[in-house]
Amino acid sequence: MPAAQILMPAPMADDVVAALEARFTLHRLWEQDDREGYLRSVAADIRGLAVSTLAGRIDAAWLDRFPALEIVASFGVGYDNVDASAAADRGIVVTNTPGVLDDEVADLAVGLLLATLRRIPQADRFVREGRWADGAFPLSPTLRGRRVGILGLGAIGKAIARRLDGFGVAIGYHGRSRQEGVAYPYHDTPVALAAASDVVVVMVPGGSGTRHLVDAEMLAALGPDGVLINVSRGSVVDETALVAALSDGTIGGAGLDVFENEPQVPDALLAMPNVVLLPHIGSASHATRAAMGRLVVDNLTAWFDDGRALTPVPETSPG
């Protein structure tokens, strides 16, 4: 039987490309001079897509270009780049890469929280710029005695909570529903969580259902000593409201790994001394990205070998 034909719209790691080429007929769309013409020539035979956020939005119109499409294997735990509901309507399975990046993202979230509170990047610049000789670096806020709210207590949210337990801070959470067997206090709304917290760590998926979940009202509830940490998706936070809250002292600071219009970051945020900014590196270690790539390959292999996906997203999971 001929190998299944897989389309990769945008480049992925060399080892992912090599593994897919060893098992499938792989079409590298990004290498084509006439991408539209190339798509028209191969679309009827494409049975799988291997995509990342670099591929752009995989929406219903994109899915409809491939009449034989069976599976979309997405690189990343978040999959708001793929219209999973549209895929489900068409009988197409969508997979993501959960689990393998939980610890890496949780580590980064805690590191970003500490860097924001203790002003670690600012202190580094203070030394590099030779200002230490002129006097001590200003005292910073502390994590001691803080109440940390986790917005989204999924697998990564729980991994963050486990790490923060070791710091002796109070932890609460908000999610779509109260979770059985979770000892942390549950708050009914994001605003209630913010009002009960000094720090809010955002760890919910992106998409229309969570767009601007963190809004001006929630930021006001967090208060002037409050700190917002976002390691999920930029769309979850109303960036205009956040800039205003940081500018006028509604909240005390923020640590951001994600933004609404990446890689563009508002000039106002770049100029703020009470903000730590990272270039969306939550899972960006060699080991974790390699594990994510292997799971993309493994999902496609399992599907075409055994007719099952290893990590289908809920919208396209059987039953």
Side-chain angles (χ1 to χ4, degrees):
M1 179 181 294
Q5 299 196 37
I6 306 296
L7 180 73
M8 186 180 288
M12 300 176 83
D14 290 346
D15 55 346
V16 176
V17 174
L20 290 176
E21 286 188 323
R23 173 64 177 77
F24 305 103
T25 299
L26 183 67
H27 298 274
R28 306 184 189 196
L29 182 60
W30 76 93
E31 293 182 347
Q32 309 305 316
D33 292 331
D34 179 8
R35 298 186 185 186
E36 281 300 314
Y38 186 80
L39 272 177
R40 287 193 295 270
S41 71
V42 303
D45 297 317
I46 297 300
R47 297 174 63 195
L49 298 179
V51 305
S52 68
T53 55
L54 294 176
R57 176 74 171 161
I58 307 299
D59 58 12
W62 238 87
L63 297 172
D64 286 340
R65 303 185 74 155
F66 309 104
L69 187 62
E70 302 172 28
I71 182 170
V72 179
S74 183
F75 180 93
V77 66
Y79 54 92
D80 46 308
N81 56 309
V82 180
D83 189 335
S85 295
D89 291 342
R90 291 156 176 77
I92 299 167
V93 173
V94 177
T95 66
N96 62 341
T97 60
V100 295
L101 50 66
D102 294 355
D103 287 332
E104 204 74 78
V105 176
D107 289 348
L108 190 283
V110 174
L112 181 56
L113 170 56
L114 291 171
T116 303
L117 283 172
R118 296 302 312 276
R119 304 183 67 211
I120 293 172
Q122 296 90 328
D124 175 85
R125 290 195 296 272
F126 183 83
V127 174
R128 291 176 187 274
E129 293 167 0
R131 290 188 284 156
W132 195 4
D134 299 326
F137 185 73
L139 300 180
S140 72
T142 181
L143 183 59
R144 302 299 97 226
R146 291 266 173 174
R147 302 165 299 163
V148 180
I150 300 178
L151 185 62
L153 198 69
I156 300 176
K158 288 185 174 70
I160 293 169
R162 288 194 297 272
R163 285 155 174 76
L164 290 174
D165 277 335
F167 288 89
V169 297
I171 298 171
Y173 76 100
H174 169 77
R176 286 173 292 185
S177 60
R178 186 189 304 269
Q179 296 188 31
E180 295 295 329
V182 172
Y184 307 124
Y186 175 76
H187 300 276
D188 291 335
T189 67
V191 172
L193 177 70
S197 304
D198 305 297
V199 173
V200 169
V201 180
V202 182
M203 203 55 253
V204 298
S208 59
T210 59
R211 178 172 172 76
H212 290 183
L213 185 64
V214 179
D215 58 10
E217 183 183 7
M218 182 176 172
L219 294 169
L222 185 55
D225 293 324
V227 170
L228 181 77
I229 304 295
N230 189 9
V231 289
S232 59
R233 284 290 188 267
S235 61
V236 177
V237 176
D238 182 338
E239 211 163 74
T240 300
L242 176 61
V243 168
L246 289 163
S247 298
D248 64 18
T250 296
I251 66 171
L256 308 171
D257 185 42
V258 290
F259 305 89
E260 282 207 72
N261 298 297
E262 296 175 4
Q264 278 69 48
V265 177
D267 289 340
L269 288 176
L270 295 174
M272 289 178 177
N274 55 339
V275 180
V276 176
L277 308 172
L278 302 179
H280 201 153
I281 58 171
S283 64
S285 72
H286 291 295
T288 295
R289 289 291 172 85
M292 293 164 66
R294 285 194 298 272
L295 190 48
V296 169
V297 175
D298 290 346
N299 267 300
L300 289 166
T301 301
W303 179 259
F304 288 108
D305 281 354
D306 304 323
R308 63 182 182 87
L310 301 179
T311 55
V313 304
E315 293 91 331
T316 65
S317 296

